[in-house]
Amino acid sequence: MPENIEEATSLLVRGGRVVDPATGTDGPMDVLIVAGAIAAVGRGLSPAPGGRTVDASGLVVVPGLIDLHVHLREPGFEDKETIATGLRAAVRGGFTAVCAMPNTAPVNDSPATTAWIMARAKRAGLARVFPIAAVTKGSRGEELVDMAACAAAGAVAFSDDGRPVASDDIMRRALLAAAAAGSLVIDHCEDRALAAGGVMHAGAAAARLGLPGIPSSSEEVAVARDIALAEELGVRVHIAHLSTAGGVAAVREARRRGIRVSAEATPHHLFLTDEDIRTPDPNFKMNPPLRTAADAAALREGLRAGVVDAVATDHAPHTEAEKARGFREAPFGVVGLETAVPLVLDRLVRPGLLPLGRAVAALSTAPARLLGLRAKGRVAAGADGDLTLLDLERDAAVDKTRFESKGRNTPFDGWALKGAPVMTIVGGRVVFPFDGGGRP
Ligand SMILES: [Zn+2]
């Protein structure tokens, strides 16, 4: 029997420490995957006849990680990234599924483009792709897409990420339409008039570098708008890449009042500040920008407390030539798929700032819950056979020359980190290491 067919049939992950916030599991367990789904979780499980066994002793076994916010760039910007290269980066980074933002060319604002992306992803055969369709046609902020049709084609959420809906009325109608389709709007919260012309956070560091700033208020007023609409309509809204202490406070207060708002934070906003921009290096240019140390601390505390539900990368690859245009002219965005998990493990879990279970919740359980993916985000019989194996002691120094992503635009190059994904399993198939691996 060929190896790949054998793998797809049955896989026993033996002897790992299973950490699954969804079921409250934290202990040594075996996980048996049969025909793509988890068949059993327990001690002393036997492999199915002819099945493969992976020795996970010394490793942590968690539900497959899901990145809510990824720019795969295809169709249209294949010089930055393709679905295939983005998915290689995803599985190397421990992600079994990624959500693909719609700011491609064409913009994903239709069932046809949604279906095309899913077919392309299936052909790559690595991580799963859940397309996020645009809120408005062409992300022009004018006319709503047919959300029900996009959702039926496989879109898991709607976002005009990067070109956020400016009109309060259109956002109001978008939230209603998404709710009617049983889906979610993910909003990049930015008042573009307030942010206009800015290239980094408006503060002392920008003043020192002589660069135009993006004020915190540009995020905070948009977060407040979304919360007011969600409250009035009684519907959900998800805030993308929260970056300000004011935004965290607004989400915390809204949640306390029962408003259905959720939020994500990126590793770069959790671990870097505008003071880290000592020279105008375009690999530190992203939108929202790196904020102050107080903002980053508020995000970390929000993540610990669960006000920030999820960690998402906002993986945004660009070419070297684009990033070489200088800080003012270079496009916004940094890559994140291959550094997110080591950063969270090394900088939050290792020093005891975030329990491992809370980290897994932010990277898997919460994204699955937010997107309504009931067969994901947990290690339990009946769930999809998607697992990530972590080695908390593995050296994971960041070397951008070794990225699978086409993008090298990271602010973390050279960081010494410990703790890394060592095996990624999708539907019972080992998709990373790329050679199928033996002992991870
Ligand atoms: Zn965005």
Side-chain angles (χ1 to χ4, degrees):
M1 190 180 283
E3 174 73 2
N4 58 339
I5 298 202
E6 190 182 322
E7 281 178 22
T9 304
S10 163
L11 181 73
L12 178 65
V13 179
R14 179 183 271 164
R17 171 189 168 197
V18 174
V19 175
D20 176 28
T23 55
T25 306
D26 185 345
M29 296 274 179
D30 305 333
V31 183
L32 179 65
I33 302 172
V34 177
I38 295 176
V41 182
R43 302 201 180 168
L45 298 183
S46 301
R52 177 178 170 189
T53 298
V54 166
D55 174 15
S57 52
L59 303 177
V60 176
V61 178
V62 303
L65 306 183
I66 302 167
D67 191 341
L68 280 172
H69 196 137
V70 170
H71 299 276
L72 290 175
R73 303 302 193 199
E74 188 180 358
F77 303 103
E78 292 83 355
D79 51 339
K80 298 176 194 276
E81 191 82 289
T82 64
I83 289 171
T85 59
L87 295 186
R88 284 182 71 87
V91 297
R92 181 181 177 228
F95 293 97
T96 56
V98 300
C99 298
M101 280 294 175
N103 60 335
T104 47
V107 168
N108 178 15
D109 58 5
S110 68
T113 304
T114 298
W116 184 90
I117 291 168
M118 292 175 74
R120 196 90 179 159
K122 196 168 181 187
R123 189 153 21 125
L126 294 163
R128 304 176 196 267
V129 173
F130 296 112
I132 295 171
V135 172
T136 60
K137 289 187 179 164
S139 287
R140 287 186 293 271
E142 293 159 3
E143 191 186 346
L144 293 187
V145 302
D146 184 342
M147 290 190 178
C150 289
V156 293
F158 296 87
S159 181
D160 277 353
D161 184 49
R163 297 176 64 187
V165 177
S167 160
D168 303 335
D169 179 55
I170 288 173
M171 183 52 119
R172 186 178 188 279
R173 288 192 281 127
L175 292 174
L176 283 172
S183 192
L184 179 68
V185 171
I186 298 177
D187 196 20
H188 165 129
C189 284
E190 178 186 5
D191 181 311
R192 296 179 82 192
L194 286 175
V199 296
M200 66 179 283
H201 174 65
R208 223 165 27 242
L209 291 164
L211 291 169
I214 301 171
S216 294
S217 58
S218 68
E219 173 172 290
E220 291 158 355
V221 298
V223 170
R225 187 266 310 254
D226 286 357
I227 288 171
L229 292 173
E231 178 176 25
E232 179 181 80
L233 303 171
V235 301
R236 297 194 300 154
V237 66
H238 179 77
I239 312 296
H241 44 50
L242 201 57
S243 72
T244 59
V248 176
V251 172
R252 177 182 283 113
E253 172 61 13
R255 291 263 279 261
R256 199 184 59 75
R257 292 168 52 214
I259 299 167
R260 299 166 73 195
V261 56
S262 54
E264 71 194 30
T266 72
H268 46 273
H269 292 114
L270 289 165
F271 303 118
L272 293 170
T273 74
D274 61 343
E275 296 294 334
D276 292 312
I277 311 175
R278 297 200 181 88
T279 61
D281 177 351
N283 290 323
F284 288 75
K285 180 181 179 184
M286 71 291 283
N287 188 14
L290 299 176
R291 303 285 186 185
T292 67
D295 292 308
L299 287 172
R300 293 193 298 269
E301 168 53 25
L303 178 62
R304 192 198 59 76
V307 172
V308 173
D309 301 76
V311 171
T313 65
D314 195 7
H315 178 81
H318 293 292
T319 66
E320 302 263 7
E322 289 167 317
K323 278 294 193 185
R325 288 180 200 151
F327 204 94
R328 282 172 190 265
E329 300 302 322
F332 291 103
V334 296
V335 291
L337 284 169
E338 294 170 82
T339 49
V341 174
L343 283 163
V344 169
L345 292 177
D346 185 90
R347 299 293 154 128
L348 293 179
V349 175
R350 177 168 291 276
L353 299 173
L354 191 71
L356 179 57
R358 179 71 204 110
V360 173
L363 286 159
S364 179
T365 325
R369 171 176 50 81
L370 291 167
L371 299 174
L373 303 170
R374 290 198 177 80
K376 303 207 178 292
R378 61 200 169 91
V379 183
D384 289 342
D386 298 1
L387 299 173
T388 303
L389 275 51
L390 307 171
D391 182 346
L392 301 183
E393 302 303 321
R394 180 73 57 103
D395 177 74
V398 180
D399 178 356
K400 67 180 183 180
T401 67
R402 297 182 61 190
F403 282 172
E404 294 292 337
S405 170
K406 284 192 179 186
R408 298 286 185 268
N409 47 311
T410 177
F412 297 111
D413 192 40
W415 280 39
L417 302 172
K418 213 173 187 190
V422 291
M423 183 174 275
T424 307
I425 297 166
V426 176
R429 233 164 31 89
V430 176
V431 294
F432 176 80
F434 295 115
D435 61 6
R439 176 78 168 86

